[in-house]
Amino acid sequence: MKAVQFEGHGGTEVIDYAEFPDPEPARDEVLIDVKAGALNHLDVWTRRGLPGLSLDMPHIPGSDGAGEVIEVGEDVARFEPGDRVALSAGVNCGKCEFCRHGEHSLCVKYHVIGEHVRGIHSELAAIPEDNLLPVPDGVSWETAAAAPLVFQTAWRMLLTRGDVRPGEDVLVLGASGGVGHAAVQIADYVGATVYATGSSEEKLDHARELGADYAINYEDDDFVQQIRELTGKRGVDVVVDHIGAATWQDSLKSLAKGGRVLTCGATTGGNPETDINRIFWNQLSVIGSTMATLGEADDVMELVWDGTFEPAIREVLPMSETARAHEMLENRDGFGKVVVKPDSEL
């Protein structure tokens, strides 16, 4: 088969699209004919290299993808050849104290397909049965590939961990990215007043179309000052900050007393300066969230499949142009997800 792969960490020049041995499904795995994959900023970090991350090389990236089942292991009960499936990339042990209480993303052995082990950006992929979601007929391969990681992440972060409620004010930073544009839709679905930031009027128009009530161009305006003006100096109840060091202090400044900042990532760095005095004096909460439980993934994807939520897709590229897809994410070009498809599918 052909697969996106790299032999070592580095810039986009390390990415290749070349022959790779066909995978053999284990007893609990499903062999998939991959129709589409999608990128997340996680793919950029994995390619560059993360502290403590040791990969079997060559590494196949990809934590989002969808395709058709062509073979199942002898212990597989949920799927059969011909089924349409999408990847849900978080892997749990099913046995530790957290898994036994249904908190799969807190598993002591938790890892992510495409980040810690080989991913799905290839013509074929062998995936554990528990990491697959059924995809209804009529849902495009591009939608099925682009939605799962960001929507399950945003769903758990806002609803389970953040307990966002109707009538609250929610500020979503980086609303043009994968998690950001999912968070805008989910916050609007809950009945919150949604504030979104972006770097261009085109991105802000997209955010408004997805449910943002107010859109702020952070290149032209100080979003903290804008939030103070728009909320009568009160601030917002919730800030969704997956950006990290570049925005952390301003996220805290944007919160109302008793507010909470939700984080699931740090694309600009994970060690920002912080303001402990502001946190304790205003009784702020800092809440972390990672991926989702199996049930949370099922719940939010039902709302994608029925069209309530829609992943924005900025471009569809052949897998042979994955280096260009990485560059688009690094340069923050466009709005939404970048989809890659096996060259044989185009």
Side-chain angles (χ1 to χ4, degrees):
M1 70 173 182
K2 284 285 190 73
V4 178
Q5 54 194 285
F6 52 82
E7 292 275 3
H9 299 295
T12 56
E13 73 279 356
V14 303
I15 300 171
D16 193 14
Y17 185 61
E19 295 293 332
F20 196 93
D22 290 358
E24 293 285 341
R27 296 176 65 97
D28 65 342
E29 290 184 332
V30 171
L31 185 63
I32 301 168
D33 178 10
V34 178
K35 302 297 185 182
L39 274 76
N40 299 281
H41 213 91
L42 177 61
D43 294 295
V44 173
W45 288 112
T46 302
R47 184 251 302 161
R48 290 176 180 171
L50 290 164
L53 182 65
S54 179
L55 299 175
D56 290 334
M57 296 292 184
H59 180 70
I60 298 174
S63 302
D64 265 329
E68 183 176 311
V69 174
I70 55 177
E71 185 180 340
V72 299
E74 54 194 287
D75 292 341
V76 171
R78 294 175 57 225
F79 301 104
E80 58 186 28
D83 286 348
R84 308 173 86 242
V85 294
L87 174 65
S88 181
V91 182
N92 66 88
C93 74
K95 299 175 182 178
C96 71
E97 61 176 301
F98 301 103
C99 288
R100 286 172 62 84
H101 285 88
E103 288 288 1
H104 306 112
S105 64
L106 288 173
C107 174
V108 298
K109 296 182 178 180
Y110 197 75
H111 60 279
V112 178
I113 294 169
E115 178 184 7
H116 303 97
V117 297
R118 286 172 180 153
I120 197 170
H121 289 174
S122 52
E123 291 182 321
L124 301 171
I127 302 294
E129 175 184 22
D130 288 345
N131 288 98
L132 294 173
L133 302 161
V135 177
D137 292 338
V139 175
S140 73
W141 291 124
E142 291 83 358
T143 293
L149 189 144
V150 295
F151 276 91
Q152 67 177 279
T153 298
W155 183 265
R156 175 176 174 83
M157 179 170 52
L158 269 72
L159 301 192
T160 305
R161 300 287 292 146
D163 192 28
V164 172
R165 298 179 293 275
E168 289 194 308
D169 292 329
V170 176
L171 168 62
V172 178
L173 303 184
S176 64
V179 168
H181 92 290
V184 167
Q185 295 180 65
I186 292 167
D188 177 59
Y189 174 78
V190 170
T193 299
V194 184
Y195 304 77
T197 70
S199 60
S200 70
E201 286 307 311
E202 180 183 9
K203 292 179 179 179
L204 297 181
D205 285 342
H206 280 298
R208 293 184 187 98
E209 291 172 5
L210 294 179
D213 299 284
Y214 302 95
I216 302 166
N217 188 327
Y218 65 78
E219 295 284 3
D220 297 335
D221 298 306
D222 179 343
F223 75 78
V224 177
Q225 184 60 37
Q226 289 292 307
I227 289 297
R228 286 182 60 80
E229 292 179 6
L230 290 168
T231 62
K233 299 183 179 181
R234 175 182 179 273
V236 296
D237 300 290
V238 174
V239 176
V240 175
D241 187 339
H242 52 94
I243 296 171
T247 55
W248 191 254
Q249 290 278 44
D250 287 341
S251 291
L252 297 178
K253 292 177 184 178
S254 299
L255 287 170
K257 286 181 176 289
R260 48 214 193 272
V261 58
L262 311 180
T263 178
C264 65
T267 56
T268 62
N271 293 291
E273 290 187 9
T274 195
D275 188 343
I276 294 175
N277 292 333
R278 182 182 294 274
I279 291 172
F280 72 70
W281 187 253
N282 288 345
Q283 301 184 50
L284 307 180
S285 298
V286 175
I287 301 172
S289 188
T290 295
M291 299 290 278
T293 68
L294 299 177
E296 289 163 344
D298 286 342
D299 289 345
V300 70
M301 292 310 297
E302 285 299 321
L303 294 170
V304 173
W305 305 148
D306 72 11
T308 301
F309 301 142
E310 180 178 359
I313 296 172
R314 67 181 85 174
E315 189 149 359
V316 179
L317 298 172
M319 283 188 179
S320 59
E321 295 185 23
T322 295
R324 179 183 161 205
H326 278 238
E327 291 170 357
M328 293 179 68
L329 266 65
E330 291 177 310
N331 297 333
R332 297 180 297 143
D333 295 337
F335 188 97
K337 300 290 292 287
V338 180
V339 170
V340 291
K341 303 183 75 169
D343 288 38
S344 57
E345 292 291 329
L346 296 172

